[in-house]
Amino acid sequence: MKVTHQKNSVRILSGRERGAQGFGSQRLLQQLVEEKARWMKWQSQKVELPDSPRSTFLLAFSPDRTLMASTHVNHNIYITEVKTGKCIHSLVGHRRTPWCVTFHPTISGLVASGCLDGEVRIWDLHGGSESWFTESNVAIASLAFHPTAQLLLIATNNEIHFWDWSRREPFAVVKTASEMERVRLVRFDPLGHNLLTAIVNPSNQQNEDDSEIPMDSVEMPHFRQRSFLQSQPVRRTPLLHNFLHMLSSRSS
């Protein structure tokens, strides 16, 4: 009896949420995306940027998808209208290349950027900006606006700084358990109740001599199991368990 896989993305994703280990589900999702993309009608829009920058590092869209921010090797950030492709703002002031950029999720016209020399800037597209430098001038890895509080999270090295940009500098800083656990990503959930962080975990790094074999390129019976370091027990680093308490204590 031949078993057929029903290509239903909702069922596949629902099964993943329940912890189901469906054989080939990842490949089926890839096929669904490829089929969808193949029949989509694409429309291109040429963007004319001032100064003809040599290269582009990052792109970020505003929450309403009407604006696009781009960072470039000339240290500038350009804000472009998505519909027209016209550059409407040139944000100039960083001394090094901006390494991260994000729009505020609820306040229109507010953009944050962080560059390689440790400078963070918050730009008001209606005029003006605020800036802050890390003491060690280490590159800014990630930024995240809180959706309702006047708060920007700044990830650099193994630290996360809490900055109310009405003040000259952050009011709090937290660190991971070791300098090797560098923070790479910070994100708030849409309501601002939870915070997602991603850090470098040295205990789970793969050996350089251990090559990875793509699952789709080999037959399952001949698949050579990769050798992983022994998994370590999950431990909680005293990172951000009380950040909402800090916010509430400041406002009281």
Side-chain angles (χ1 to χ4, degrees), residues 154-209:
I154 304 164
T156 176
N157 206 6
N158 71 320
E159 302 174 346
I160 297 180
H161 298 260
F162 296 71
W163 188 27
D164 172 354
W165 57 90
S166 65
R167 301 185 177 189
R168 296 183 59 183
E169 57 186 24
F171 62 86
V173 59
V174 290
K175 299 182 179 181
T176 58
S178 81
E179 293 184 358
M180 297 298 292
E181 295 180 338
R182 296 182 295 276
V183 184
R184 293 304 192 202
L185 177 74
V186 286
R187 289 289 185 273
F188 282 107
D189 75 278
L191 297 178
H193 296 165
N194 299 288
L195 176 64
L196 170 70
T197 62
I199 65 174
V200 175
N201 189 355
S203 63
N204 287 339
Q205 288 182 358
Q206 184 183 353
N207 292 333
E208 293 181 357
D209 297 334

Side-chain angles (χ1 to χ4, degrees), residues 3-94:
V3 179
T4 59
H5 296 284
Q6 186 173 2
K7 294 184 178 181
N8 188 312
S9 58
V10 175
R11 290 186 178 181
I12 294 173
L13 294 173
S14 177
R16 288 174 53 176
E17 289 293 324
R18 297 194 304 268
Q21 299 294 328
F23 179 77
S25 60
Q26 182 68 26
R27 183 55 186 162
L28 286 175
L29 285 174
Q30 291 176 355
Q31 292 175 350
L32 287 169
V33 172
E34 291 170 2
E35 291 177 5
K36 179 69 174 177
R38 185 175 63 175
W39 297 108
M40 289 179 65
K41 294 183 178 180
W42 299 96
Q43 186 177 16
S44 62
Q45 175 68 55
K46 186 177 181 181
V47 175
E48 297 288 348
L49 296 178
D51 306 322
S52 300
R54 186 176 59 188
S55 58
T56 301
F57 281 94
L58 291 173
L59 295 174
F61 288 94
S62 61
D64 59 5
R65 298 295 189 264
T66 61
L67 299 178
M68 179 184 70
S70 57
T71 72
H72 304 270
V73 73
N74 62 3
H75 309 166
N76 295 342
I77 301 171
Y78 299 119
I79 307 297
T80 303
E81 283 183 336
V82 173
K83 186 176 182 179
T84 64
K86 180 181 178 182
C87 179
I88 57 174
H89 295 286
S90 297
L91 308 181
V92 181
H94 279 301

